[in-house]
Amino acid sequence: MKLWQKIFLYTLILVMLAVSMTSILLLKNSFSFSLDQKKQSVYNEHEFLITSFKSMMVTERLRSNAIVLEEKELKKYMESTFDKTGNNNGIMFCNGQSEQIYANKDMKLPSGLLEAVKDTGKSYMQIQGYQLYTASSESMEGKTYYVVTESDITDVMEIHENMLWQIQVISMVCAIVIALILLVVVKTLLLPLKKINEGTRAIAQGSYQKRIQEKGHDELSELAHNMNRMAEAVETNVSALEHVAEDRKHFIDNLAHEMKTPLTSILGFSDLLQIKKEVTEENRIEYAGIIKAEASRMRTLSGKLMELITVGETNLDWQMEDMQRLFAEIGTSLGVITDKRKMYLICESEPGTLWVDRELFKSLLYNLVDNAVKASREGDKIQVMGRFEEDLFEIQVSDEGMGIPSEEIEKITQAFYMVDKVRGREKGGVGLGLALCKEIVSLHRGTMRFESRQGTGTKVFISMKGGEHA
């Protein structure tokens, strides 16, 4: 059973129960009130008949000049007083032994009626069918008699039954009307839930761009809003996973390609050395040099790749490092490389400390300077400058090299990406340096951006939190 059917059915049952119970209670109260009025009227009539009869007996006794009327005379007087055909109501007289003395019509008394009067000594009323019986104990002519009157209450009972039938008819009509109204109301109220269900089904089937219409400020609107947020989060995560999968595929393809090139060279020149019967000393040195260069490139590639893979998995050794001292140390180490290439290196920082992992930070600057060296020419200047700006430490690495095209800047941090692949390979590049730098900066919760123009050089700007000026 669907939700709207349950709500419709349960609400209809509760409403009909409430209407029925209210109608029954009102009918019961009305019937009780009418019956009480009838009982009071019958009781008054009963008392009137007995009082009148007693008065007439006193008159008859005085007229007969008798002290006490005999039972025969009393019965005779009862027969003359209560005409059997002139009154629809019945009256019966019984002696102290509950034996009938007189009745103006056939009467079948309810069981226990006279016994109730005997036990209580008071008047007692009892309904049987459409008749109301009233019994009382009366003292007449020195004896105790039980007087029972029978009154017709058909009018009260028929009104009650007629009203009961009318209530049943009205209840059925109300049930139909209420059912129709409830059906419309429930369908209308649950229409947003139907749309949410349809939208959820579409999202579950893969339509993550699907959004559910939000209308109103009730719980269903809130549910629709949360479902849209969930769909948006799922869409974002799926998109991110797709990008990750695409990047991994691209990474693996590039790795296979980068590994294939040096291996092909190594195998090719190894075969030449093996196949050729006579190899000149000059050729041998040339072939061996190529094999060595390609093997060195493979070693660099594997080292960089291992460093990139493990950078996020190692336990970082966070320390407050003196930047001025660390920059001087890095400048001394890198000066050997720049001096060999006949380039000028300036590596300086303002005095102060920064919360970093020492080895990763050094690897970051080594890779940035290494890229700058590969992009520069003899006589060019490379600068690595550090300065403190409030609680931030700003690093700028600039060179005077060949620069990067503006459309390539967003791609240079991708693994194996090189702007000039031929030139990069000639200088021993593998396209992993900037990808590693990006990961290191991310681990330090910093940001990195590039500014470059072809022919005028490149600038790298890095901002890290946790800096403290001396």
Side-chain angles (χ1 to χ4, degrees):
M1 187 180 291
K2 294 185 177 180
L3 178 60
W4 74 266
Q5 293 173 331
K6 291 180 180 178
I7 295 175
F8 170 75
L9 184 59
Y10 295 156
T11 306
L12 181 61
I13 291 173
L14 288 174
V15 170
M16 291 312 302
L17 282 174
V19 171
S20 299
M21 291 298 294
T22 303
S23 301
I24 290 171
L25 288 174
L26 290 174
L27 179 61
K28 183 179 179 181
N29 290 335
S30 176
F31 176 67
S32 297
F33 180 74
S34 299
L35 189 59
D36 289 341
Q37 285 186 324
K38 188 68 174 179
K39 285 182 176 180
Q40 185 63 42
S41 175
V42 168
Y43 181 76
N44 292 337
E45 186 178 352
H46 177 85
E47 290 294 318
F48 176 75
L49 286 175
I50 294 174
T51 303
S52 299
F53 181 72
K54 285 183 176 181
S55 297
M56 286 186 290
M57 279 195 307
V58 172
T59 303
E60 181 64 22
R61 191 184 324 117
L62 292 174
R63 188 180 65 83
S64 301
N65 197 22
I67 299 175
V68 177
L69 294 176
E70 296 293 333
E71 189 171 295
K72 286 182 179 183
E73 294 177 355
L74 191 61
K75 182 177 178 182
K76 185 178 179 181
Y77 185 71
M78 290 175 183
E79 290 174 354
S80 62
T81 304
F82 301 103
D83 187 10
K84 293 184 178 181
T85 59
N87 194 352
N88 292 327
N89 294 332
I91 186 168
M92 176 186 291
F93 290 85
C94 298
N95 59 22
Q97 289 76 37
S98 300
E99 296 174 349
Q100 179 179 321
I101 299 174
Y102 166 79
N104 66 342
K105 60 184 295 188
D106 292 333
M107 295 170 57
K108 188 176 181 181
L109 300 181
S111 59
L113 178 64
L114 296 180
E115 286 75 7
V117 176
K118 289 180 181 180
D119 294 338
T120 61
K122 297 179 180 180
S123 300
Y124 186 78
M125 304 181 85
Q126 189 171 343
I127 296 174
Q128 181 172 277
Y130 287 1
Q131 303 298 323
L132 175 61
Y133 293 90
T134 307
S136 62
S137 176
E138 303 294 338
S139 178
M140 292 183 293
E141 302 302 313
K143 295 182 181 179
T144 299
Y145 292 90
Y146 297 103
V147 182
V148 180
T149 56
E150 180 189 62
S151 301
D152 188 9
I153 57 171
T154 303
D155 53 344
V156 177
M157 301 301 292
E158 285 182 348
I159 290 173
H160 173 67
E161 291 175 356
N162 186 44
M163 290 182 65
L164 184 61
W165 179 81
Q166 289 179 357
I167 285 176
Q168 290 175 347
V169 173
I170 293 172
S171 298
M172 291 299 296
V173 174
C174 288
I176 295 172
V177 174
I178 292 172
L180 292 175
I181 295 173
L182 268 177
L183 187 61
V184 174
V185 171
V186 170
K187 282 284 189 178
T188 303
L189 290 177
L190 293 184
L191 183 60
L193 186 61
K194 181 182 179 182
K195 293 181 178 179
I196 292 173
N197 187 35
E198 292 173 352
T200 306
R201 187 184 299 111
I203 293 170
Q205 291 173 352
S207 300
Y208 301 120
Q209 73 282 357
K210 175 76 174 178
R211 294 296 179 269
I212 302 167
Q213 183 180 3
E214 299 176 23
K215 189 176 181 181
H217 302 283
D218 56 6
E219 289 81 357
L220 292 178
S221 176
E222 185 178 352
L223 177 60
H225 176 70
N226 291 333
M227 291 299 299
N228 287 334
R229 290 183 59 188
M230 182 189 72
E232 184 178 350
V234 171
E235 184 181 14
T236 302
N237 292 335
V238 168
S239 178
L241 289 173
E242 288 175 350
H243 283 116
V244 169
E246 185 178 351
D247 290 344
R248 287 184 177 179
K249 182 179 181 300
H250 186 63
F251 180 88
I252 293 170
D253 291 343
N254 287 331
L255 176 62
H257 177 73
E258 294 294 332
M259 295 291 288
K260 181 179 179 181
T261 303
L263 282 173
T264 302
S265 298
I266 291 171
L267 290 174
F269 287 104
S270 298
D271 285 341
L272 286 176
L273 290 173
Q274 187 176 17
I275 293 171
K276 277 190 175 183
K277 294 181 179 179
E278 295 182 3
V279 180
T280 63
E281 184 66 16
E282 183 180 352
N283 287 339
R284 184 186 65 77
I285 293 173
E286 179 186 0
Y287 296 164
I290 294 173
I291 291 173
K292 180 181 177 183
E294 295 299 328
S296 177
R297 184 162 170 261
M298 285 189 65
R299 183 179 65 182
T300 303
L301 174 64
S302 62
K304 289 281 186 182
L305 183 62
M306 185 61 66
E307 192 175 359
L308 179 63
I309 292 173
T310 59
V311 67
E313 298 178 357
T314 55
N315 294 323
L316 303 184
D317 184 15
W318 297 99
Q319 296 182 25
M320 291 296 291
E321 294 288 342
D322 186 326
M323 289 293 102
Q324 195 171 46
R325 184 184 303 171
L326 187 59
F327 268 62
E329 182 182 328
I330 293 170
T332 302
S333 300
L334 294 174
V336 178
I337 301 172
T338 54
D339 290 344
K340 186 178 179 181
R341 301 286 183 92
K342 297 180 181 180
M343 300 173 186
Y344 299 100
L345 174 66
I346 301 174
C347 188
E348 297 177 350
S349 172
E350 293 181 353
T353 56
L354 180 67
W355 190 255
V356 295
D357 180 285
R358 180 184 180 87
E359 295 305 319
L360 285 182
F361 188 81
K362 289 172 67 175
S363 178
L364 169 65
L365 296 186
Y366 285 161
N367 278 283
L368 291 176
V369 173
D370 183 55
N371 279 339
V373 168
K374 291 172 185 175
S376 301
R377 299 171 295 272
E378 288 186 7
D380 286 348
K381 182 172 65 174
I382 299 172
Q383 288 185 312
V384 182
M385 307 300 293
R387 66 185 183 89
F388 290 90
E389 188 72 28
E390 295 181 356
D391 63 337
L392 298 177
F393 185 62
E394 307 284 350
I395 305 170
Q396 178 180 322
V397 181
S398 59
D399 62 61
E400 300 172 346
M402 59 183 180
I404 304 169
S406 57
E407 65 272 10
E408 304 285 338
I409 290 179
E410 293 184 359
K411 304 176 184 178
I412 58 178
T413 56
Q414 296 177 5
F416 296 108
Y417 186 84
M418 289 184 284
V419 177
D420 188 344
K421 295 185 180 295
V422 175
R423 184 181 177 91
R425 289 191 181 114
E426 286 177 353
K427 295 193 175 184
V430 294
L432 291 173
L434 290 180
L436 179 60
C437 291
K438 180 182 177 182
E439 290 294 324
I440 294 173
V441 172
S442 177
L443 285 173
H444 284 78
R445 299 181 297 280
T447 58
M448 181 171 63
R449 63 182 180 88
F450 298 85
E451 288 182 4
S452 183
R453 292 179 62 184
Q454 283 186 285
T456 61
T458 302
K459 292 181 179 180
V460 184
F461 299 93
I462 299 172
S463 178
M464 291 184 177
K465 296 181 179 181
E468 184 178 341
H469 198 283

